[in-house]
Amino acid sequence: MNKWLFFIFTIILTSIFGVVYIIQMNTSPAITYFPIDEETSFTYSDSTLELISEQGYDSYEIDWESNSQSDTQMYLRQDASLLFDNGRLRGVRSKWVQGTDTIHLKETLISEDSSFFQVISFHHGEVHYPNDEIKSIHQMSNDHLYVIDSPTTPLDAFKSAEDEFQIEWQILLDRTKKQQLLYHWHDLITHFNISADSYMSVPLTKLVRYGNEPLPSMTQEQTDKVIGRLWEGLYKNYIVPAANTESNELVSYVPIVLFDKEMEHLLVLFELNGKKEQLIQNYSF
């Protein structure tokens, strides 16, 4: 009798764990592209970087925010934000909430030395209609901030240079970031044996322009679909793994997006914690 009770108890316990596992798998955070909903939209979406204060002799504090609001409550709202420091990934933040119209992300971080900070965010909403019809909306936002932290001058921060001193620092920081990223992207393109001449290259941080401007030889409708599916793959393969990495172990740089000039596919190249990755998205219009 005791053996039968133990056997039944084991089966019940296994079933419970199985159900919990399935539920967890089905509710894991993910960004999924669905056809664009023309009936809803974002009332606003933005990303901001601001210098808050100096922290001691050789460090300072940065405020990093991402906000968005849709014109109605949605089945699911999701935002993801990536911060780069001189081209290197500094942090990833994401949030998903059911039954809301608003997402707010805020992070305060301590940094040191002169830097060019860039943030890009993806704002996403999922709308469920009767008869299992699902649609979505999305937008991108970005911001940047130059911070001058020099022993010989007061701490300074700006978005657009306004005097000769700031212009010199902007040129220096832009050149430093560009040289590092060009070397990194060339290494990735070589590793995957890609013919760069066959593609139009766009750094992930510059992708925002195609939120309101069609990609070459595409309509805005086609562009919206391509961008939505691009972020779907990026979220799963780059954002989630990066977010699950301890900050002191996180090593990555701005991903490069390669748009095939024949309008057949795109590639996203990146390296995360020493592992080179290539995402391929075939177009289907």
Side-chain angles (χ1 to χ4, degrees):
M1 183 68 177
N2 288 337
K3 290 183 178 180
W4 277 107
L5 288 174
F6 177 79
F7 179 72
I8 293 172
F9 176 77
T10 302
I11 292 177
I12 294 173
L13 194 61
T14 302
S15 299
I16 291 173
F17 280 123
V19 171
V20 170
Y21 175 78
I22 291 172
I23 291 173
Q24 288 178 337
M25 289 298 291
N26 290 334
T27 58
S28 296
I31 286 178
T32 305
Y33 171 81
F34 293 100
I36 299 297
D37 190 343
E38 303 294 343
E39 303 301 319
T40 60
S41 61
F42 285 101
T43 55
Y44 71 81
S45 61
D46 63 59
S47 298
T48 58
L49 291 171
E50 297 291 343
L51 176 66
I52 300 177
S53 62
E54 188 170 3
Q55 295 290 314
Y57 178 71
D58 58 355
S59 62
Y60 51 88
E61 198 172 35
I62 293 289
D63 183 60
W64 162 27
E65 291 192 47
S66 174
N67 300 282
S68 65
Q69 184 177 50
S70 53
D71 59 7
T72 184
Q73 287 194 354
M74 296 190 168
Y75 175 82
L76 184 63
R77 280 293 332 281
Q78 298 158 280
D79 280 7
S81 187
L82 299 94
L83 176 65
F84 296 92
D85 178 351
N86 288 331
R88 178 168 175 167
L89 183 62
R90 181 65 184 272
V92 179
R93 296 293 178 267
S94 64
K95 186 176 183 179
W96 68 303
V97 182
Q98 288 185 307
T100 188
D101 60 353
T102 304
I103 296 285
H104 175 60
L105 296 171
K106 183 175 182 178
E107 184 79 12
T108 299
L109 56 95
I110 303 297
S111 193
E112 58 184 25
D113 299 327
S114 299
S115 290
F116 176 40
F117 295 96
Q118 293 171 286
V119 59
I120 182 168
S121 303
F122 185 72
H123 315 279
H124 183 262
E126 193 174 302
V127 189
H128 287 212
Y129 290 102
N131 301 319
D132 296 326
E133 183 183 18
I134 304 176
K135 294 186 177 183
S136 63
I137 61 172
H138 65 254
Q139 275 189 6
M140 295 177 286
S141 65
N142 67 342
D143 196 17
H144 66 269
L145 184 70
Y146 294 89
V147 178
I148 304 172
D149 184 19
S150 171
T152 59
T153 61
L155 183 67
D156 190 17
F158 60 91
K159 297 184 186 292
S160 297
E162 297 179 352
D163 54 42
E164 186 175 343
F165 175 74
Q166 291 183 345
I167 290 173
E168 290 178 357
W169 272 100
Q170 180 174 333
I171 292 173
L172 174 62
L173 292 173
D174 284 345
R175 183 188 300 123
T176 301
K177 181 208 67 173
K178 183 178 181 179
Q179 289 175 343
Q180 180 166 253
L181 289 179
L182 286 177
Y183 175 83
H184 176 70
W185 294 333
H186 177 74
D187 184 47
L188 288 170
I189 289 170
T190 302
H191 176 81
F192 289 108
N193 194 28
I194 295 169
S195 174
D197 292 338
S198 300
Y199 295 87
M200 180 187 76
S201 61
V202 180
L204 182 67
T205 47
K206 298 292 186 180
L207 204 62
V208 175
R209 65 178 293 183
Y210 297 110
N212 299 300
E213 175 185 326
L215 287 159
S217 303
M218 289 190 193
T219 65
Q220 189 64 55
E221 182 180 1
Q222 291 172 328
T223 299
D224 291 343
K225 182 176 182 179
V226 167
I227 297 299
R229 292 190 61 223
L230 187 162
W231 278 97
E232 177 181 5
L234 199 67
Y235 186 86
K236 176 183 178 181
N237 297 282
Y238 184 71
I239 293 174
V240 171
N244 290 331
T245 302
E246 293 294 331
S247 58
N248 60 337
E249 300 175 357
L250 184 62
V251 180
S252 186
Y253 294 88
V254 177
I256 188 73
V257 184
L258 303 178
F259 294 96
D260 173 35
K261 292 180 180 179
E262 298 298 321
M263 285 188 61
E264 294 179 352
H265 66 277
L266 66 78
L267 306 174
V268 184
L269 307 182
F270 62 87
E271 185 171 348
L272 181 60
N273 303 329
K275 185 177 181 181
K276 293 179 173 63
E277 299 282 1
Q278 175 184 223
L279 304 183
I280 303 174
Q281 175 192 318
N282 294 313
Y283 299 155
S284 57
F285 299 131

